[in-house]
Amino acid sequence: MSTISIAVLGSKNATGRDLLHRPGYNGAFIQTAELSLHQSPFVPSGDWQSLPLETQQQPPRNLVPWLTYSGSLTAALKQQSDGDFYVRVLYQGWQTPRPEECLVLGLHNGNRALIREVLLYGCGQPWVYARSVLPERSLQGKSRNLRSLDTRPLGELLFSEPGIRRGEITLNLLQKSPGCADRELGEKDSEVWGRRSVFWLRDKPLLVSEAFLPNFTPTGDPIAQESAKTIATEDSL
C-alpha cells in the first residue's frame, strides 16, 4: 500500500518568514491568520457544463476519461504515479464561498464554509489543483472530522464513507489567476480543464472541484489502472 504525505505551502508573511521552515514544523497543516491573504491560483473562466460541451473548446481526448471518472481520483492518481504521490496544502480556512458556489450548494449570502485548496503531486510534479467548499452546516455531528483533515486527502475520506453520493460531474476551463506567480502551475494566463461535483455526505452537500495541470500527462485511463491492482487500492479509495 502506498503512503501519502502532506506539506504546507511555503507562504511568507509580512516579515518574510517561511511557514514551511519554522522550527518544530512536523509536516501537518498549520491554519493561521497569515494565510488569510491567500488567492486561489485558478478561477473558472465560464459556466460549468455537462458533457457533451456546447462550446468550441473541447478537452484533450486523453483527459476526458479522467474528467468524467466518478471513482476516487486520489486512488487513480496513486496508481498513475506508482505510489509516488503526496498532497501540498495551499490554504484551509473559513470564508464566504463564491456566488456561483453558494448557488450550487443552496447557501445564502454570508453563509460560511471551510475552503480547502490543495495540489496533488505525482512523480514529483503538480498534477491536480483541488478546491473544496465544505458548508459549516455540513460539518456537524459525525462529519466534524472534516474540519481537521490532518494528513489525509479529502477524497480519501469521502470514498471511505458508507452511503456517500456524488452528483453530476460538470466541466469548465479554469484560468490561472493574475496574482499567481508559481511557475509549477503553468505560464501566465494559462488555462486548464477542470471538473466539479457535489457530494452528499449524510444528506449534506460538499462541493469539490479539481483541475488537471499541464504536468499531468496520463498514460492510460483511471478505470483500467485501478482495476489492475484492486486489492492495493480498495483501502485507499
Side-chain angles (χ1 to χ4, degrees):
M1 181 176 65
S2 56
T3 59
I4 300 175
S5 58
I6 191 166
V8 174
L9 171 66
S11 175
K12 296 181 181 295
N13 64 8
T15 63
R17 290 180 301 168
D18 192 326
L19 292 175
L20 193 57
H21 298 102
R22 282 182 176 168
Y25 171 66
N26 63 3
F29 175 72
I30 302 172
Q31 186 168 328
T32 170
E34 293 171 1
L35 296 181
S36 61
L37 299 179
H38 168 73
Q39 182 183 40
S40 297
F42 291 96
V43 293
S45 61
D47 295 330
W48 294 88
Q49 301 181 43
S50 56
L51 285 174
L53 299 179
E54 297 181 358
T55 60
Q56 185 174 2
Q57 288 182 293
Q58 298 289 321
R61 185 170 299 178
N62 67 330
L63 267 190
V64 172
W66 291 84
L67 287 166
T68 58
Y69 181 57
S70 61
S72 169
L73 182 60
T74 296
L77 292 175
K78 287 166 66 178
Q79 282 289 340
Q80 176 79 182
S81 64
D82 198 23
D84 184 5
F85 174 88
Y86 67 94
V87 178
R88 177 186 174 196
V89 178
L90 300 179
Y91 174 80
Q92 182 170 313
W94 295 95
Q95 289 185 1
T96 300
R98 298 165 182 160
E100 46 95 13
E101 293 172 336
C102 288
L103 183 63
V104 171
L105 290 166
L107 300 178
H108 299 294
N109 290 335
N111 285 159
R112 293 197 316 161
L114 185 63
I115 307 296
R116 176 177 166 90
E117 297 188 358
V118 303
L119 293 177
L120 308 181
Y121 279 71
C123 301
Q125 300 293 322
W127 279 359
V128 173
Y129 158 73
R131 173 181 169 93
S132 304
V133 183
L134 316 177
E136 189 171 17
R137 69 186 186 191
S138 299
L139 302 180
Q140 309 296 327
K142 293 182 179 180
S143 299
R144 287 185 65 87
N145 64 319
L146 297 182
R147 293 172 181 248
S148 54
L149 292 175
D150 299 324
T151 59
R152 297 185 66 187
L154 174 62
E156 189 173 71
L157 284 174
L158 291 181
F159 279 88
S160 68
E161 288 283 349
I164 186 74
R165 293 184 291 117
R166 184 176 204 159
E168 180 185 22
I169 295 176
T170 55
L171 310 184
N172 201 351
L173 269 175
L174 279 70
Q175 190 166 33
K176 190 176 180 183
S177 300
C180 179
D182 193 335
R183 293 269 180 127
E184 277 194 314
L185 305 184
E187 297 300 323
K188 182 180 178 181
D189 298 328
S190 61
E191 290 183 320
V192 296
W193 281 98
R195 67 184 199 156
R196 80 173 185 185
S197 54
V198 175
F199 286 86
W200 295 90
L201 179 60
R202 301 181 182 92
D203 295 323
K204 299 293 179 61
L206 313 168
L207 183 63
V208 178
S209 306
E210 298 147 333
F212 293 92
L213 303 178
N215 287 321
F216 183 64
T217 54
T219 57
D221 66 77
I223 299 176
Q225 290 179 30
E226 283 200 26
S227 63
K229 296 183 180 180
T230 303
I231 296 177
T233 61
E234 277 182 346
D235 62 347
S236 58
L237 284 174

